[in-house]
mmCIF file of all heavy atoms in Angstrom:
data_model
loop_
_atom_site.group_PDB
_atom_site.id
_atom_site.type_symbol
_atom_site.label_atom_id
_atom_site.label_comp_id
_atom_site.label_asym_id
_atom_site.label_seq_id
_atom_site.Cartn_x
_atom_site.Cartn_y
_atom_site.Cartn_z
ATOM 1 N N GLU A 136 6.770 -21.937 20.495
ATOM 2 C CA GLU A 136 6.301 -22.656 19.330
ATOM 3 C C GLU A 136 4.901 -22.126 18.936
ATOM 4 O O GLU A 136 4.305 -22.585 17.969
ATOM 5 C CB GLU A 136 6.229 -24.181 19.573
ATOM 6 C CG GLU A 136 7.595 -24.712 19.864
ATOM 7 C CD GLU A 136 7.481 -26.213 20.281
ATOM 8 O OE1 GLU A 136 6.479 -26.874 19.878
ATOM 9 O OE2 GLU A 136 8.423 -26.726 20.941
ATOM 10 N N ARG A 137 4.447 -21.148 19.672
ATOM 11 C CA ARG A 137 3.024 -20.651 19.427
ATOM 12 C C ARG A 137 2.845 -20.051 18.059
ATOM 13 O O ARG A 137 1.746 -20.228 17.454
ATOM 14 C CB ARG A 137 2.683 -19.600 20.497
ATOM 15 C CG ARG A 137 1.307 -19.064 20.465
ATOM 16 C CD ARG A 137 1.137 -17.910 21.404
ATOM 17 N NE ARG A 137 1.836 -16.677 20.949
ATOM 18 C CZ ARG A 137 1.933 -15.610 21.670
ATOM 19 N NH1 ARG A 137 1.477 -15.618 22.894
ATOM 20 N NH2 ARG A 137 2.521 -14.507 21.205
ATOM 21 N N ASP A 138 3.813 -19.366 17.594
ATOM 22 C CA ASP A 138 3.645 -18.602 16.256
ATOM 23 C C ASP A 138 3.416 -19.614 15.142
ATOM 24 O O ASP A 138 2.833 -19.201 14.062
ATOM 25 C CB ASP A 138 4.846 -17.720 15.954
ATOM 26 C CG ASP A 138 4.917 -16.490 16.890
ATOM 27 O OD1 ASP A 138 3.892 -16.279 17.552
ATOM 28 O OD2 ASP A 138 5.891 -15.751 16.877
ATOM 29 N N GLU A 139 3.821 -20.813 15.236
ATOM 30 C CA GLU A 139 3.586 -21.806 14.205
ATOM 31 C C GLU A 139 2.075 -21.975 13.968
ATOM 32 O O GLU A 139 1.636 -22.101 12.827
ATOM 33 C CB GLU A 139 4.162 -23.257 14.715
ATOM 34 C CG GLU A 139 3.863 -24.326 13.761
ATOM 35 C CD GLU A 139 4.410 -25.639 14.312
ATOM 36 O OE1 GLU A 139 5.574 -25.957 13.957
ATOM 37 O OE2 GLU A 139 3.710 -26.338 15.076
ATOM 38 N N LEU A 140 1.310 -21.857 15.040
ATOM 39 C CA LEU A 140 -0.159 -21.922 14.935
ATOM 40 C C LEU A 140 -0.782 -20.573 14.708
ATOM 41 O O LEU A 140 -1.595 -20.396 13.830
ATOM 42 C CB LEU A 140 -0.769 -22.516 16.201
ATOM 43 C CG LEU A 140 -2.320 -22.649 16.291
ATOM 44 C CD1 LEU A 140 -2.839 -23.426 15.085
ATOM 45 C CD2 LEU A 140 -2.709 -23.241 17.593
ATOM 46 N N LEU A 141 -0.285 -19.565 15.462
ATOM 47 C CA LEU A 141 -0.887 -18.220 15.372
ATOM 48 C C LEU A 141 -0.749 -17.665 14.011
ATOM 49 O O LEU A 141 -1.645 -16.990 13.543
ATOM 50 C CB LEU A 141 -0.271 -17.334 16.418
ATOM 51 C CG LEU A 141 -0.794 -15.858 16.571
ATOM 52 C CD1 LEU A 141 -2.256 -15.905 16.846
ATOM 53 C CD2 LEU A 141 -0.021 -15.101 17.549
ATOM 54 N N ASP A 142 0.385 -17.877 13.387
ATOM 55 C CA ASP A 142 0.555 -17.334 12.009
ATOM 56 C C ASP A 142 -0.384 -17.911 10.949
ATOM 57 O O ASP A 142 -0.681 -17.261 9.983
ATOM 58 C CB ASP A 142 2.030 -17.575 11.552
ATOM 59 C CG ASP A 142 3.063 -16.736 12.316
ATOM 60 O OD1 ASP A 142 2.604 -15.755 12.997
ATOM 61 O OD2 ASP A 142 4.254 -17.013 12.206
ATOM 62 N N VAL A 143 -0.899 -19.084 11.261
ATOM 63 C CA VAL A 143 -1.921 -19.699 10.390
ATOM 64 C C VAL A 143 -3.270 -19.242 10.706
ATOM 65 O O VAL A 143 -4.154 -19.082 9.886
ATOM 66 C CB VAL A 143 -1.776 -21.226 10.480
ATOM 67 C CG1 VAL A 143 -2.835 -21.880 9.633
ATOM 68 C CG2 VAL A 143 -0.426 -21.646 9.974
ATOM 69 N N LEU A 144 -3.542 -19.065 12.020
ATOM 70 C CA LEU A 144 -4.847 -18.635 12.482
ATOM 71 C C LEU A 144 -5.163 -17.196 12.106
ATOM 72 O O LEU A 144 -6.302 -16.856 11.672
ATOM 73 C CB LEU A 144 -4.961 -18.816 13.979
ATOM 74 C CG LEU A 144 -4.947 -20.200 14.546
ATOM 75 C CD1 LEU A 144 -4.944 -20.126 16.082
ATOM 76 C CD2 LEU A 144 -6.076 -20.974 14.062
ATOM 77 N N ARG A 145 -4.193 -16.310 12.274
ATOM 78 C CA ARG A 145 -4.443 -14.843 12.104
ATOM 79 C C ARG A 145 -5.059 -14.456 10.763
ATOM 80 O O ARG A 145 -5.944 -13.629 10.702
ATOM 81 C CB ARG A 145 -3.118 -14.079 12.365
ATOM 82 C CG ARG A 145 -3.320 -12.603 12.453
ATOM 83 C CD ARG A 145 -2.085 -11.896 12.740
ATOM 84 N NE ARG A 145 -1.670 -11.874 14.147
ATOM 85 C CZ ARG A 145 -0.619 -12.384 14.690
ATOM 86 N NH1 ARG A 145 0.257 -12.968 13.868
ATOM 87 N NH2 ARG A 145 -0.340 -12.376 15.958
ATOM 88 N N PRO A 146 -4.567 -14.983 9.655
ATOM 89 C CA PRO A 146 -5.183 -14.600 8.425
ATOM 90 C C PRO A 146 -6.679 -14.986 8.258
ATOM 91 O O PRO A 146 -7.402 -14.431 7.462
ATOM 92 C CB PRO A 146 -4.398 -15.328 7.340
ATOM 93 C CG PRO A 146 -3.031 -15.616 7.968
ATOM 94 C CD PRO A 146 -3.387 -15.863 9.385
#
Side-chain angles (χ1 to χ4, degrees):
E136 299 174 23
R137 183 187 74 189
D138 286 350
E139 175 180 271
L140 176 59
L141 183 58
D142 288 348
V143 176
L144 293 176
R145 188 178 279 119

